[in-house]
Amino acid sequence: MIELPETFPETGIGEEAVLDLLGAAAMTRAADLAAPDALAHMDPPSAPVAARMAYFVAQANQNMLHPATSPFATLAEARVLEWIAPAFGMAWGQICSGSTLANLTALWAAREAGARMVVASAEAHISVPKAARILGLEYHPVPVGDDGRLIRAGLPDLADAALVLTAGTTGRGVIDDLTSVPARWLHVDAAWAGPLQLTSYRDRLAGIEAADSIAISAHKWFFQPKGAALALFRSEAARASITFTSSYLARPNSGVEGTRSAAALPLLATLLAWGREGLAQRIERCMTITEELAQRLDADPRTVLKHWPESGVLNWRPLEGDAAAVIAALDGTSSAFTIGETVWVRQVAANPHADVDAIWARICAALG
Ligand SMILES: Cc1ncc(COP(=O)(O)O)c(C=O)c1O
């Protein structure tokens, strides 16, 4: 156990001594997200090439507001967006530090396009009501069915509303029906499941191309270090509506964030190293892991599976006894999601190195 000083030291101990002191702790006193039984959250192990590239990014410390001092990072960012946006039917996009900000950025553009209200499913991520609050927009949650999907019959008049559909809800990984609905603005929060569009599961996102904007976290199924996400837009007009200029800026500043990291470089490195096929294989592996576990959970008389997993998220519980006790016994390899009054074990396949037998052994041990 490392003893950290309780107050800010007057005299430093030196950089080498600090690395000896903190380096091991930072790596070992942290969950190993690539471990065979790591399946708890939407946090993937970083692609090794991305982690190494992130070191260069930190070293060079480029400011993406100044293309003259970050010429390569600026090119890398433009190129990554040119590769990804068209696959979703979008014209342009920007890198943000997470989908919380990508959702805020998109809903800001929606407000500039006349939206006065944000409508989303009751199981939308909290960043959606947060964005509505920040933007001063009314927030209208719509009930979900037993399957966790937004009930379209429950939608209000959307003439002045931004409708947010979720592709991969946080709790259940459920994909709302993404086919177009007449609304002032249609935003798809695809923070989690968006990358399925680049895999053999792309049919699950049918209709996403009709969105006005899409948020995708790169630090989820693009296997990037935090924080990296993409906010994608269908129309160029949206860009102008969220762009500011100033005499001190070398180029117009678009979106919510100002000074931010060159997060596109690790993403570019990953996409170049793996290609679309390599990325798809890893995501498809994650999908297979949850499908195989779902089969076992469904067949086992000790467990109840809530739904067939749609995007690598499992919800299950013991037939008898307390899910909370099982979650505690799973010791950080699962999380919880409450539906109504019932607590469900939640497991998320963000780790393509997870091993079904290793996870099953932990589940069996936790069931006692
Ligand atoms: C559906 C959904 N939207 C948005 C977010 C927020 O994403 P980020 O953590 O990248 O800010 C999450 C995070 O888990 C999410 O699951």
Side-chain angles (χ1 to χ4, degrees):
M1 187 69 158
I2 290 180
E3 292 291 329
L4 290 177
E6 285 186 6
T7 55
F8 182 8
E10 191 60 27
T11 310
I13 60 173
E15 295 187 11
E16 288 307 315
V18 162
L19 290 176
D20 286 346
L21 182 72
L22 301 186
M27 289 307 294
T28 58
R29 294 189 55 208
D32 176 3
L33 300 177
D37 60 357
L39 210 74
H41 300 284
M42 291 179 162
D43 302 312
S46 297
V49 69
R52 288 162 73 178
M53 205 67 203
Y55 172 79
F56 299 135
V57 169
Q59 283 283 321
N61 206 20
Q62 304 288 280
N63 183 341
M64 300 303 290
L65 287 177
H66 299 294
T69 59
S70 58
F72 185 64
T74 299
L75 169 69
E77 183 169 300
R79 190 54 50 89
V80 160
L81 290 161
E82 282 160 18
W83 287 352
I84 303 288
F88 292 83
M90 299 291 114
W92 69 281
Q94 54 187 230
I95 306 277
C96 307
S97 59
S99 283
T100 298
L101 278 163
N103 283 337
L104 176 62
T105 308
L107 290 174
W108 175 21
R111 193 187 68 178
E112 299 307 310
R116 295 287 159 259
M117 174 168 69
V118 175
V119 177
S121 110
E123 293 195 10
H125 187 261
I126 52 162
S127 56
V128 177
K130 251 192 210 177
R133 176 88 64 89
I134 292 168
L135 294 165
L137 299 172
E138 190 189 324
Y139 184 64
H140 184 107
V142 178
V144 297
D146 186 53
D147 60 1
R149 233 179 294 285
L150 175 143
I151 300 175
R152 283 199 167 202
L155 286 173
D157 178 10
L158 299 170
D160 287 329
L163 174 63
V164 178
L165 298 172
T166 308
T169 55
T170 315
R172 317 195 203 192
V174 160
I175 300 170
D176 283 334
D177 174 357
L178 302 182
T179 52
S180 189
V181 184
R184 177 60 66 118
W185 189 275
L186 179 58
H187 174 64
V188 179
D189 177 358
W192 168 246
L196 286 180
Q197 183 74 355
L198 303 167
T199 73
S200 58
Y201 290 87
R202 69 181 61 84
D203 288 357
R204 298 200 178 177
L205 302 184
I208 197 166
E209 298 87 354
D212 293 294
S213 54
I214 303 173
I216 306 169
S217 290
H219 54 218
K220 294 183 168 46
W221 258 348
F222 278 124
F223 304 96
Q224 295 305 291
K226 295 179 183 61
L230 291 83
L232 305 177
F233 294 88
R234 192 150 55 91
S235 98
E236 278 295 335
R239 192 197 315 251
S241 77
I242 57 168
T243 295
F244 279 61
T245 52
S246 175
S247 54
Y248 64 77
L249 285 173
R251 68 169 182 181
N253 176 344
S254 178
V256 178
E257 285 176 279
T259 308
R260 60 190 167 75
S261 87
L265 278 170
L267 180 55
L268 179 80
T270 309
L271 301 181
L272 265 178
W274 294 354
R276 188 207 56 80
E277 268 179 20
L279 175 70
Q281 277 162 8
R282 286 162 175 89
I283 298 170
E284 287 162 7
R285 174 74 200 127
C286 290
M287 293 290 280
T288 307
I289 290 165
T290 43
E291 286 159 4
E292 287 180 12
L293 282 167
Q295 267 159 11
R296 295 191 193 192
L297 289 160
D298 202 29
D300 197 298
R302 297 168 299 173
T303 54
V304 181
L305 179 69
K306 176 68 180 152
H307 316 280
W308 192 252
E310 280 180 24
S311 68
V313 181
L314 280 172
N315 300 116
W316 62 274
R317 63 178 172 80
L319 182 64
E320 281 165 16
D322 190 5
V326 173
I327 293 164
L330 282 168
D331 190 22
T333 58
S334 73
S335 44
F337 183 60
T338 304
I339 303 172
E341 302 288 299
T342 310
V343 178
W344 294 83
V345 182
R346 168 180 177 266
Q347 292 189 295
V348 184
N351 170 20
H353 314 292
D355 177 74
V356 173
D357 289 329
I359 295 157
W360 188 246
R362 294 220 45 162
I363 289 175
C364 292
L367 289 170

